[in-house]
Structure formats: structure tokens, C-alpha cells
Amino acid sequence: MIDFISTLNGYLWGFPMIAFLFGAHIFTTVRTGGIQRKVFKGIRLSVTTPKGTQGELSPFASLTTSLAGTLGTGNIIGVGTAVALGGAGAVFWCWVTGMLGMATQYCEVLLSVKYREKWGVGFRGGPMYFLKNGVKNKYLGLLYAFSASVGALITGSVIQSNAIGAVMEDAFGRWDKSINFGEYEMSLSALLVGVVTSLLASVAIFGGVKLIGRICSYLVPFMALLFVGGCFCILFLNRDVLLLSLGRVFRDAFSPRSAGGGFVGSSLIVALRYGVARGLFSNEAGLGTSSIVASTGKTPNPVRQALVSMTATFWDTVVMCFVTGLVIVSSIIKTEGRLGVIDGSTACFLAFSQIPYVGGGILIFSMTVFAFSTIIGLSYMGVSCASFVFGKKAELPYKILWTAGVFIAPLISLEALWSVADLLNAILVVPNVAGIFLLGNVVKSESEKYLNNVDMQAK
């Protein structure tokens, strides 16, 4: 079964899915009249809360919680892999994909807020709600919610916790001591990571969306500033090759041939493939998951929240992925004298090792905190989807299952789960993007209605 799923994923996440998502980004960009031009207005709105509005999270808390769900180790190691396999030009195409993806995220959130439903003292929304209430197809909503609840459990709980265990083992080594349970040998270091991570995560998860939002509003800016600060420090150290690196990024993005002695591949097609793929997967624009948290935000109209939320893609891909890519490219040029063949993980450690004494620590800390923020950020998305399918009674068992996954993950191998998670994510894309296409007129009319008055206060 796993072999079959892996083969299927090879087709689903190959050219067809990349073309489908990239096409959706172009469609939404055209449909919204280039909404990306409003990104700085969205940034301004993200730090102001309109008075008299209903919702559980402030615009800033909803933004940082969405970012917590998308900022992960993939933003660091994933960019390194894209550069290693696609060449320096992959950084440019990753940036372009992020710019276009802002329009798709705008549409997802606008529809999610417009068709959200009252839930307790707040609201619940997301693709399952605009599929149910907008497209009028509850079954597509159920398919989306079920796939998202299982997918979030795998990618947000198990895989991220396992990544923390791997980072800790790489940094501090694996303890020789272990506990035997029959034929199974459990590492004490992995057990410690599981216990600590699950305890910390459970405090946020069982505290509800308001506590998650409060934690993310402090954690996400801190970890982002620390990581980006480290990146700018490296760029300063590499300042003598910075213009050369920028030139290489733009040149290889349109190079019709592979550069001799360079990366594994740096032709136009290879750079386009890996750059677009990294851009698509880094911010989840097209999957619709971040719109679930955005739907809880305090906003007088859907357009205001959509403008705020699309800045998540701006920060995640347009800024962080581009800066990370430039750091890796300049570091390879600086340390090797040429663009050498190197894997993504090694490229990241090579880059940060240039910062004396603390470089490795910044990278390890960033990767750990990024993974932990994803655990708590995606937990609310998973809970919302599970309750849509099974009702409110499913929330407590789902949270318990989530915390158990965090505890167990550092102790197990996840090769099979990666394949299942990729398949579930592919399932999410189709109904979400289909809903955006079908409700394109709603996006247009709502934008025309509110776009020039998004600052208005609720009556």
C-alpha cells in the first residue's frame, strides 16, 4: 500500500500539481486585479484591531498563528534542498511563486470569513465552510475537513515532533542509555524530547485558540527576527560576493542550459521546477489550511481579514525563503569559490557556521522553535476540521490524540507517514481551488464592495 501511495504521489506532486497550483495563483492574481499591490496596507492593518467586531483573535494573533502553522523546518532545509537541486535560479522562482500565491491566500481567507459560522463565543470557518455554504456541497466540505484533520495530525503533530527529536540528536548526540520493552529499544534522549515537547504543547493545545494565539503572537515574531537577523549577519559577512550571488540567482533563473561544475541542475526547467515547488509548499497557499485560523479573527468585513492574512505568504515566502536562499547561494560561493554540489541540510549548516560561536546554535534553536510553533499552530486547524466532521464531541479526543502523537513521534520512524501526508495534502488542494474558481464572482464583488473601506469599524 505504501509503495502504491508513493507512486501515486510521484504523479500527483509532479508537474500536474505544480501546474495546477501555479495556474490557480495566476488566475486569482488576475481575478483580484493584482491584490498583491495592497500588501503594505495589509501589513498596517495586521497591527490594528477594529473596535466593536466579533471574533476570538486579533488580526495580529490570527496572522502569527497562521504563520506558526506554515513556518517550519521546511522553510530552512527545504530552501537549501531547492537550491541544491534546482540551482541558484530556484530562489528567484520561489520568490515569484510567493508573490503570486498571495492572491490565492487572499481569496481563501475572504471566502472563509464570508461563509464562516457562529461557534460558541467566536466563529469557525475555512474551505469546508465555503464549500458547504457557498458552493452548496456539504460532501466536498466533509472530504476536505476529514483529509485536513488526518493530514494535520500527521504533519503538524507527528512529523514536526520527530523533526525536533532529529535536531536535538544531531546537536547533542544520542544517549547510549536506553530502556527495553520486549524486543523494542527506546532511547532515553528521544523519550526526554517526547515528554518535554508534549507537555509544553499540551498547555497551549488544551488552553484553546486564544492561548494559542497569545503564545504565537510572541513566539513567531521572536523566532522570525532571530532567524532573519542571523541571515542578515551572514549576508554582511558575504558582502563581497553579494552582488555576484544576486546576479547568479537572476541569471540561472532564465538560463537555458546547466552550469558546468555547478549545482545538480541549474537550467531554466530544473530551476523553475524546484523553485516553484518550494514556493508552493512553504506557505500552503492553495491548501486552504491557514484560512481556518484566519476565520476566527476580529474583522468588520471579509476583505480586511483577507488583506491581513495574505501578508503571511509575503513574510513566509517572499521575505524569509528569498533571504534564506540568498544566504545559501552566497555562502556556497564564499566558502567553495564556486557553486558546488551539496545537499540542503549541509548547505544550511555550512551557511550558519560562518557566524562565530553562535551560528550553529541560532540554526538549531530556530529549527526547533519553528517545528514547535507548527505543532501548536496546526493543532487548532486540525481540531476545527475534526469538529466539522464529527461534531464538538470530537475535540477532546482529537487533542489527546494530537498530544500523544507529539510524545511518540521522536521514538519512531516516519517514512510511511510522509507518503500518507503527501497524499492527503494533494486531496486538500482540489476541492479548495475548485471552490475558489466557482466562487470567483463572490471574491470580485466582495472586493469591490469593501476594498476602499476596509478600515471601517463594525456598527
Side-chain angles (χ1 to χ4, degrees), residues 204-221:
I205 294 168
F206 286 94
V209 66
K210 285 188 176 181
L211 181 57
I212 292 174
R214 194 176 303 118
I215 293 173
C216 290
S217 64
Y218 290 103
L219 186 63
V220 170

Side-chain angles (χ1 to χ4, degrees), residues 398-458:
Y398 188 87
K399 291 178 180 179
I400 294 173
L401 189 61
W402 188 281
T403 307
V406 175
F407 170 72
I408 295 171
L411 307 170
I412 60 177
S413 175
L414 303 180
E415 293 180 8
L417 289 182
W418 271 107
S419 297
V420 176
D422 286 343
L423 177 62
L424 291 170
N425 283 337
I427 294 174
L428 297 183
V429 171
V430 177
N432 179 60
V433 173
I436 292 173
F437 275 107
L438 293 173
L439 298 173
N441 288 333
V442 175
V443 172
K444 183 178 180 180
S445 62
E446 289 290 308
S447 298
E448 292 174 348
K449 181 179 179 181
Y450 292 113
L451 200 53
N452 294 323
N453 195 26
V454 294
D455 292 313
M456 74 176 194
Q457 305 296 317

Side-chain angles (χ1 to χ4, degrees), residues 76 220-238 315 319-321 323-324 327 351-352 354-356 358-359 361-363 365-366 370:
I76 303 175
V220 170
F222 171 74
M223 69 179 188
L225 286 172
L226 177 66
F227 178 73
V228 173
C231 287
F232 279 114
C233 181
I234 296 168
L235 292 177
F236 176 77
L237 294 174
N238 296 343
W315 295 121
V319 175
M320 291 193 67
C321 285
V323 171
T324 304
V327 161
F352 274 82
Q354 295 176 86
I355 303 178
V358 298
I362 291 175
L363 183 61
F365 180 80
S366 297
F370 277 19

